[in-house]
Amino acid sequence: KSRMKDYEQAIEWYKKGIDQTADNSYFYEQIAYIYYYKLKEYSKALEWYEKAMRHGGANAENYKRIAKVYDRLGEMGTANIWYDSAIKWYKQQIKKNPAEAQNYKAIGSIYEKMNDNELAKQFYEKAIDAYKQVDEPSKWRRCKSCNAVPLVWEFDNGRSTACKCGEDNYSH
């Protein structure tokens, strides 16, 4: 129960932030995040992600987040429309910066969600190629759990991981 109160308090603080800077999507996104990931109230998460889109947050990540909400709600047709929009945004970013591996990885993960494993694989391979071009893998730290050198550097909610050894050790 106390965690629930903490989340409710956080939502109230973010709403106060909105009162101060209504055209900043950050506070809307944070409220949506709490509803989606912490409280599992997907309809409310959708409402707040849509508000974020209307307040400066029209970007690939929010298109993808809205798609994930529709996916959770069992509305795959609508989710796929939002996933398609996210893919378009990511592809625009790739045109601007083809060496940015995260965009390829994001598209791969979307295709995977859409059960198009062949396209997912193609974009994951492009992500690996992009990582190889911009990073020096020999300098990557080994996984503390399995001692493997990562093949690709992934970013998942701010944690860097890559080896897939099964341990939740995000110290790569």
Side-chain angles (χ1 to χ4, degrees):
K1 267 302 199 201
S2 70
R3 277 212 187 268
M4 177 78 106
K5 283 216 172 281
D6 290 345
Y7 294 131
E8 290 169 359
Q9 181 63 46
I11 289 170
E12 290 308 311
W13 281 104
Y14 286 128
K15 285 180 179 178
K16 289 180 181 184
I18 290 169
D19 291 341
Q20 301 297 314
T21 58
D23 285 332
N24 183 336
S25 65
Y26 173 80
F27 298 112
Y28 298 95
E29 292 164 355
Q30 296 306 305
I31 293 170
Y33 177 90
I34 291 170
Y35 279 123
Y36 184 89
Y37 290 100
K38 302 301 181 185
L39 301 177
K40 311 294 186 212
E41 294 184 36
Y42 303 117
S43 295
K44 287 185 179 180
L46 179 61
E47 173 188 338
W48 285 94
Y49 279 131
E50 288 174 341
K51 288 179 182 182
M53 295 285 280
R54 291 192 302 268
H55 292 89
N59 59 53
E61 281 300 308
N62 283 336
Y63 277 101
K64 185 176 169 181
R65 291 171 182 144
I66 289 172
K68 286 173 70 173
V69 173
Y70 278 114
D71 189 352
R72 278 283 182 183
L73 293 171
E75 297 181 35
M76 277 311 297
T78 305
N80 286 342
I81 291 168
W82 285 92
Y83 281 135
D84 285 337
S85 295
I87 289 169
K88 288 176 188 168
W89 275 83
Y90 284 118
K91 284 182 176 179
Q92 288 174 356
Q93 294 305 308
I94 288 170
K95 284 181 184 176
K96 293 177 187 174
N97 185 1
E100 187 64 47
Q102 291 171 307
N103 293 318
Y104 296 105
K105 180 192 173 281
I107 293 173
S109 71
I110 292 170
Y111 280 127
E112 190 173 355
K113 279 272 188 199
M114 296 171 75
N115 294 316
D116 191 333
N117 293 331
E118 185 56 40
L119 278 174
K121 180 182 173 192
Q122 289 175 23
F123 278 90
Y124 285 142
E125 288 171 349
K126 289 179 181 183
I128 291 169
D129 289 343
Y131 279 119
K132 287 178 181 176
Q133 291 175 22
V134 297
D135 290 332
E136 180 57 47
S138 65
K139 294 181 182 174
W140 292 353
R141 290 176 297 199
R142 294 184 175 274
C143 173
K144 289 182 180 177
S145 298
C146 68
N147 202 34
V149 175
L151 296 176
V152 65
W153 202 257
E154 297 181 3
F155 294 92
D156 175 27
N157 292 326
R159 303 173 300 192
S160 39
T161 182
C163 74
K164 308 290 190 229
C165 66
E167 298 294 320
D168 286 335
N169 189 335
Y170 295 107
S171 61
H172 295 77

